[in-house]
Amino acid sequence: QMKNDSVIIEIVCPATSRTYDFVICTQMNIRDVIEKVSDEIMEFEVNKSLFTDVNLLELFSDFYKSSLNKNLKIYDYNIKSGCRLMLV
């Protein structure tokens, strides 16, 4: 059961050539989202060295045609369920 301040977003990951669905709280800032999804992707892929430095990762939005500011929150970007972001 999703809380109503959560969204399901699609994370495209070129490093693994896969797409993943994540339930994300809209209150989370982008930096924490990057940490969460990169951690879980590395666990899922059983590859802890997939991303050498999490601090260098960005979430890129096709809609905004830019990387998301890591200090802002998911809701600042009005990200809704079904949105697709790329982890690069």
Side-chain angles (χ1 to χ4, degrees):
Q1 179 65 29
M2 267 191 355
K3 299 199 299 296
N4 50 8
D5 62 346
S6 291
V7 290
I8 299 175
I9 58 172
E10 202 177 356
I11 300 287
V12 180
C13 179
T16 61
S17 307
R18 289 187 203 248
T19 302
Y20 309 85
D21 289 331
F22 282 94
V23 177
I24 300 288
C25 173
T26 56
Q27 308 290 329
M28 278 178 86
N29 66 31
I30 301 300
R31 178 174 284 103
D32 292 340
V33 173
I34 290 173
E35 205 165 297
K36 174 188 162 75
V37 302
S38 61
D39 270 0
E40 291 187 23
I41 289 172
M42 285 191 290
E43 208 155 290
F44 179 79
E45 298 293 344
V46 198
N47 183 352
K48 281 293 176 199
S49 58
L50 195 56
F51 308 113
T52 43
D53 188 351
V54 173
N55 296 311
L56 297 178
L57 290 172
E58 309 254 3
L59 276 181
F60 183 86
S61 163
D62 251 2
F63 181 81
Y64 291 107
K65 298 279 183 260
S66 70
S67 294
L68 304 184
N69 182 327
K70 294 182 182 184
N71 300 314
L72 295 181
K73 296 189 179 339
I74 287 287
Y75 73 76
D76 292 322
Y77 284 104
N78 199 24
I79 290 170
K80 302 270 188 264
S81 281
C83 277
R84 168 180 271 214
L85 298 172
M86 187 180 290
L87 184 68
V88 284

